[in-house]
Amino acid sequence: MKPVKEIKGKFAFEPQIGVRSVIYSEDKQIWTSMVVGILNATDECVEIETLNTIYKVILTGKKVSSIAA
């Protein structure tokens, strides 16, 4: 079973399957391993599964815009 990390922060860019994500939380950057799934995505929270961990990111600050738009 993968560990679950709950973080308050925002993504540097929209999470995409097959690439790493960057999460800004307080005064640090968290680089994840490759994203293998997006489990849940709302305006308040995004849950992603990586090769090693499940991240539940409670979104704060300005919403990250979609790169694909």
Side-chain angles (χ1 to χ4, degrees):
M1 183 163 184
K2 294 180 183 179
V4 177
K5 293 188 178 182
E6 189 170 305
I7 300 168
K8 290 183 181 179
K10 61 184 178 179
F11 289 94
F13 50 88
E14 187 174 334
Q16 296 179 4
I17 295 173
V19 297
R20 297 173 69 183
S21 281
V22 180
I23 304 167
Y24 295 126
S25 178
E26 297 176 3
D27 60 346
K28 60 185 173 185
Q29 292 181 357
I30 300 167
W31 286 78
T32 71
S33 57
M34 186 177 69
V35 175
V36 295
I38 299 172
L39 307 176
N40 188 22
T42 67
D43 289 339
E44 294 83 29
C45 179
V46 175
E47 291 180 62
I48 62 171
E49 180 177 1
T50 68
L51 291 173
N52 304 316
T53 308
I54 295 174
Y55 290 92
K56 181 177 182 180
V57 182
I58 300 166
L59 301 174
T60 61
K62 191 173 184 178
K63 185 178 176 184
V64 176
S65 61
S66 171
I67 294 174

